Amino acid sequence: MGYREVVLKTESSRCLLCENAPCAQACTYGVKIDQIIRSVNFDNEQGARYMLADNPCVDCIDGGCMQACSRAKFDLPVRIDKITELLSQQNPVSVPDIDLTTYLCGVKCENPFFLSSSVVGSNYDMVAKAFDCGWAGVAFKTIGMFTPNEVSPRFSELDKEDTQFVGFKNIEQISTYSLEENLGFFRELKKNYPTKVIIASIMGSNEYEWTKLASLCEKAGADIIECNFSCPQMVGEGLGSDVGINPELVYLYTKAVKKGTNLPVLAKMTPNITSMIPPAVKAVEAGADGLAAINTIKSIMNVNLENFSSSPDVCGKSSVGGYSGKAVKPIALRFINEMKSSDKLKDVPISGMGGIETWYDAAEFISLGCSTVQVTTAVMQYGYRIVEDMIDGLKRYMSSHNFSSINDFIGVAEKNIIPADDLDRSYICFPRFDREKCIGCERCYVSCYDGGHQAIKMNSDRKPVLDGKKCVGCHLCKVVCPVNAIDPGKKVSKLALTGH
Ligand SMILES: Cc1cc2nc3c(=O)[nH]c(=O)nc-3n(C[C@H](O)[C@H](O)[C@H](O)COP(=O)(O)O)c2cc1C
């Protein structure tokens, strides 16, 4: 990534992603500039370039879009002129004709993108809108035999500088619609969207309830049953993630669900456990056809040092709740990889989730073995519309990497995650400094000194100079460089370095 990419990303990320965006409304040529910038923000720069092609933005002297920019109400407007100039420096490529069809436990899905079970898939109108936007299916908000008495407020978020929702915490429980209302939503959705996939997420409190719920959901038109063994907010005995950490209960309830339905059954696993393998294997032994992971991670978001409460603050009190969003993706990928590495689970289909925001995130889950992916937090933050760039971006990636179907690339990255002891420890990969790109901020120097091996000195031009005798090749300098001016350089054998 060079300056061009850094500036494009940084400036685009200043966009507030307004709905009915004033910038697009102000454009006399009807350019959907809001969508173009959104595509850049959602890892789909190629799609942005394609949308921009043949539009007059680069020669436009009107500037109405920037005058209308909502950000100008409290800050400088987004530099739309700069963004369009940078985008137009490279040629647009049309959307390739790629079929994104995939199968989850034998059920056909028009693409791998699903809403995960949560507030984003709570009723008919919401799910119909999501289907119209392009989502292949929905894991409906978990339904049970009772409706909970929810608290207010119930969400809080972790942010960092300009980025909201690095992580997100909720203390929500299951659906607040009655069982009858939920079954009605399923019937109506199946009637009006017969090719979309409905995953009914259920949670019983005893075997009878699990069997009954599965059977009722099948009759109402669900295509797949997902057993919610993993909600960290359901604290009643034998409910939520307490089930998911108890392999015997997972076995018992999966069996009960299989008794009530002939549909494929997914067991949704909790990450609040050291290894997912024991409960996942028990689910499969009891007849589960696939797995879903991860549910949210138990968390306490913060402590307010004025009143010593934590958020979400319910009359001065809070409780442990489920953490989700971008920050949890590495943890989710680890659990997916763990299950796919197990001999007993390697052929079991997985619907993966946890921190997916873009097609790129989704493709990472697929390359580690998932057949489909699910999303909640990013939809809560940005809306159903993010699926447009997921579909477009994934098609473009697959075409440019010669994958003709999703099946071709499910699991392609699995072989590259190996035990730490098996990694090649015979060489040092030294960083290579691009002195042209370096802006002399000295961030590499301070990190190397205070958090590394004191291997960088700055010369009189404020450019880094490496001491090869001290450098261990950790690449801390590379990851802190704000302008990507440091690349992996030469790999040198440790034997050559020590001389023996
Ligand atoms: C507000 C909220 C409500 C949720 N409700 C449910 C639920 O009812 N059933 C369930 O299985 N998972 C529920 N989840 C967990 C999500 O389905 C998903 O597993 C998790 O949030 C990770 O994905 P994400 O990072 O894309 O949000 C909920 C998550 C959130 C944020």
Side-chain angles (χ1 to χ4, degrees):
M1 204 160 63
Y3 283 152
R4 181 190 164 278
E5 286 77 12
V6 174
V7 175
L8 185 61
K9 221 42 222 164
T10 314
E11 198 52 38
S12 299
S13 70
R14 295 184 62 245
C15 172
L16 301 175
L17 301 168
C18 305
E19 181 74 344
N20 299 316
C23 56
Q25 287 173 3
C27 176
T28 40
Y29 303 103
V31 179
K32 294 179 174 152
I33 191 64
D34 57 330
Q35 283 183 30
I36 292 171
I37 299 177
R38 181 166 15 111
S39 294
V40 177
N41 277 313
F42 286 89
D43 289 339
N44 187 17
E45 191 197 316
Q46 275 200 27
R49 286 209 298 272
Y50 183 64
M51 266 190 282
L52 182 68
D54 302 329
N55 280 317
C57 297
V58 179
D59 302 318
C60 175
I61 47 162
D62 173 35
C65 55
M66 281 172 57
Q67 283 160 28
C69 174
S70 303
R71 191 158 190 128
K73 292 187 176 149
F74 65 93
D75 183 15
L76 298 173
V78 174
R79 288 287 307 273
I80 299 174
D81 54 345
K82 191 82 201 157
I83 293 172
T84 53
E85 180 200 320
L86 291 170
L87 283 174
S88 59
Q89 284 170 359
Q90 292 180 0
N91 291 333
V93 180
S94 60
V95 197
D97 183 20
I98 293 268
D99 182 2
L100 292 184
T101 301
T102 185
Y103 290 83
L104 178 62
C105 303
V107 177
K108 186 175 179 187
C109 316
E110 68 186 49
N111 63 51
F113 305 116
F114 279 63
L115 298 175
S116 72
S117 177
S118 73
V119 60
V120 301
S122 291
N123 59 38
Y124 177 87
D125 289 341
M126 295 176 85
V127 176
K129 180 179 173 196
F131 285 169
D132 290 338
C133 286
W135 294 89
V138 58
F140 222 80
K141 176 74 187 166
T142 300
I143 63 179
M145 291 291 192
F146 69 98
T147 51
N149 180 14
E150 295 283 9
V151 294
S152 166
R154 63 191 78 157
F155 304 141
S156 70
E157 107 284 3
L158 178 75
D159 45 21
K160 170 104 175 74
E161 287 133 23
D162 219 11
T163 311
Q164 295 164 296
F165 276 52
V166 173
F168 184 70
K169 177 189 162 187
N170 85 89
I171 50 174
E172 186 174 291
Q173 300 188 331
I174 64 173
S175 176
T176 46
Y177 288 97
S178 70
L179 181 56
E180 241 343 288
E181 283 172 310
N182 277 309
L183 298 174
F185 298 145
F186 292 173
R187 281 191 285 272
E188 205 58 12
L189 284 166
K190 203 69 233 170
K191 188 170 92 200
N192 295 335
Y193 295 90
T195 60
K196 301 282 185 179
V197 180
I198 300 175
I199 301 177
S201 168
I202 59 172
M203 184 189 286
S205 54
N206 54 45
E207 284 165 271
Y208 168 79
E209 285 187 10
W210 284 101
T211 307
K212 186 81 189 156
L213 284 166
S215 151
L216 289 171
C217 291
E218 176 171 357
K219 287 195 192 100
D223 301 289
I224 295 175
I225 305 294
E226 184 174 274
C227 310
N228 183 346
F229 292 148
S230 41
C231 174
Q233 287 82 249
M234 300 298 298
V235 287
E237 208 183 319
L239 281 175
S241 60
D242 283 356
V243 176
I245 57 171
N246 181 335
E248 297 315 319
L249 267 187
V250 168
Y251 183 87
L252 197 69
Y253 289 159
T254 308
K255 269 247 172 265
V257 170
K258 289 297 281 186
K259 201 167 130 196
T261 181
N262 289 316
L263 294 176
V265 171
L266 301 178
K268 183 165 176 184
M269 310 310 296
T270 176
N272 299 304
I273 189 167
T274 312
S275 169
M276 248 178 217
I277 294 177
V281 166
K282 278 291 178 193
V284 172
E285 283 174 5
D289 304 271
L291 300 161
I294 59 170
N295 208 317
T296 51
I297 301 170
K298 284 187 180 182
S299 60
I300 292 172
M301 185 56 93
N302 52 20
V303 176
N304 177 329
L305 293 182
E306 294 307 316
N307 61 8
F308 304 108
S309 68
S310 180
S311 64
D313 178 331
V314 183
C315 295
K317 310 283 181 203
S318 195
S319 63
V320 169
Y323 194 51
S324 61
K326 203 172 184 66
V328 311
K329 191 182 79 174
I331 298 164
L333 290 174
R334 175 252 152 166
F335 277 116
I336 302 296
N337 175 252
E338 179 190 49
M339 291 194 285
K340 280 287 166 187
S341 310
S342 146
D343 278 345
K344 291 191 175 155
L345 299 173
K346 64 179 187 299
D347 297 323
V348 179
I350 300 184
S351 187
M353 75 203 90
I356 296 173
E357 292 193 339
T358 72
W359 70 267
Y360 197 104
D361 301 323
E364 291 175 286
F365 278 76
I366 296 170
S367 73
L368 279 181
C370 296
S371 318
T372 58
V373 294
Q374 305 185 20
V375 184
T376 279
T377 306
V379 171
M380 293 181 76
Q381 187 174 8
Y382 304 112
Y384 299 125
R385 57 193 179 162
I386 59 172
V387 78
E388 293 163 14
D389 282 304
M390 289 182 164
I391 293 171
D392 194 79
L394 188 59
K395 283 185 179 175
R396 289 170 186 281
Y397 167 79
M398 286 174 57
S399 160
S400 62
H401 289 72
N402 297 322
F403 291 119
S404 52
S405 76
I406 296 281
N407 218 27
D408 283 356
F409 95 102
I410 294 179
V412 288
E414 277 173 44
K415 63 179 188 311
N416 294 328
I417 309 288
I418 59 172
D421 280 348
D422 296 347
L423 293 170
D424 184 348
R425 291 166 186 271
S426 68
Y427 67 87
I428 290 181
C429 177
F430 289 104
R432 193 186 65 81
F433 302 106
D434 183 334
R435 291 194 165 66
E436 292 295 304
K437 275 199 218 160
C438 172
I439 53 168
C441 67
E442 303 198 4
R443 289 278 305 271
C444 56
Y445 163 77
V446 72
S447 286
C448 182
Y449 199 96
D450 296 0
H453 294 80
Q454 302 82 48
I456 296 178
K457 287 201 174 77
M458 300 306 287
N459 68 15
S460 53
D461 295 338
R462 294 179 69 99
K463 304 283 169 174
V465 179
L466 192 72
D467 180 344
K469 289 209 175 67
K470 288 185 174 170
C471 178
V472 298
C474 69
H475 290 199
L476 176 61
C477 54
K478 177 182 171 330
V479 297
V480 298
C481 176
V483 291
N484 301 306
I486 306 176
D487 295 318
K490 255 199 294 187
K491 279 184 191 167
V492 182
S493 139
K494 287 182 185 166
L495 282 178
L497 285 169
T498 54
H500 46 74

